[in-house]
């Protein structure tokens, strides 16, 4: 279980404590970049069914890009980045509640917008991956249903409880953004 959680490629290397410390510190910087980097890196690398990327999938990439792609998909660091990003979002929301209100958009509001754009891109990437897997199953003959691919992907995506929470949080933010834009436009 430890190999899956921390990633097989990190466990095989026998990394020192200082390297693990660096990876944890890097998570602080990476939590800002991970949603955007993961979305763009997912277009560069073919997705596999497992969290680790095979050596065949990483051919043609620089060693750094290949290691970074493996690091991005390690479950332990995905959890750490997600936990840190939600903590940062909580801090941003507390700061916006304590800041005096104004009609013009504040820097805090723009930073929350960037945060949710990244979250939306990550969620869209997950749906895109499900669509890709359904198409692959249909090509290989494993899935013989004639249902709509997008509808099947969305029902599969919504079937996961964490994805339901993610969708609810993004939808709530969209409603808040629409209400904020309405007050800004009217005044």
């Amino acid at each position: 279980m430890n190999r899956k959680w921390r990633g097989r490629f990190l466990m095989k290397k026998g990394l020192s404590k200082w390297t693990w410390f660096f990876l944890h510190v890097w998570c602080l910087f990476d939590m800002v970049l991970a949603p955007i980097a993961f979305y763009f890196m997912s277009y560069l690398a073919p997705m596999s069914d497992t969290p680790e990327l095979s050596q065949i999938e990483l051919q043609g990439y620089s060693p750094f890009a290949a290691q970074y792609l493996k690091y991005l998909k390690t479950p332990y660091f995905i959890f750490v980045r997600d936990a840190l990003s939600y903590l940062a979002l909580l801090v941003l929301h507390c700061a916006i509640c304590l800041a005096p209100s104004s009609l013009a958009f504040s820097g805090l509001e723009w930073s929350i917008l960037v945060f949710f754009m990244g979250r939306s891109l990550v969620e869209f990437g997950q749906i895109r991956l499900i669509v890709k897997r359904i198409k692959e199953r249909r090509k290989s003959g494993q899935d013989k249903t004639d249902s709509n691919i997008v509808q099947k992907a969305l029902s599969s995506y919504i079937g996961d409880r964490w994805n339901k929470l993610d969708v609810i949080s993004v939808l709530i933010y969209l409603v808040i953004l629409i209400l904020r834009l309405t007050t800004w436009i009217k005044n």
Side-chain angles (χ1 to χ4, degrees), residues 1-13 15 20 51-52 70-71 73-77:
M1 187 64 166
N2 196 23
R3 285 185 177 210
K4 282 193 176 228
W5 180 244
R6 294 199 179 225
R8 287 190 175 108
F9 85 101
L10 289 174
M11 296 303 289
K12 287 180 185 175
K13 292 192 178 259
L15 300 175
W20 277 107
E52 286 99 28
K70 286 181 179 181
Y71 163 78
K73 293 183 179 187
T74 303
Y76 176 75
F77 290 109

Side-chain angles (χ1 to χ4, degrees), residues 49 123 125-135 137-138 143 145 147-167:
D49 288 339
E123 299 307 317
Q126 289 178 4
I127 294 170
R128 187 181 61 84
L129 176 62
I130 294 171
V131 168
K132 184 177 177 180
R133 287 180 182 165
I134 291 171
K135 287 180 180 179
R137 284 187 202 130
R138 287 195 177 170
D143 185 5
T145 61
S147 63
N148 185 352
I149 292 175
V150 175
Q151 183 180 7
K152 189 172 183 177
L154 287 175
S155 66
S156 173
Y157 173 78
I158 295 295
D160 184 8
R161 291 179 195 225
W162 287 113
N163 289 338
K164 287 178 186 174
L165 289 174
D166 289 336
V167 167

Side-chain angles (χ1 to χ4, degrees), residues 7 9 15 36 50 75 80 84 88 91 98 122 137 159 169-170 177-178:
F9 85 101
L15 300 175
I36 297 165
T50 60
V80 169
L84 289 174
V91 168
L98 296 174
V122 168
R137 284 187 202 130
S169 69
V170 170
L177 179 66
I178 290 169

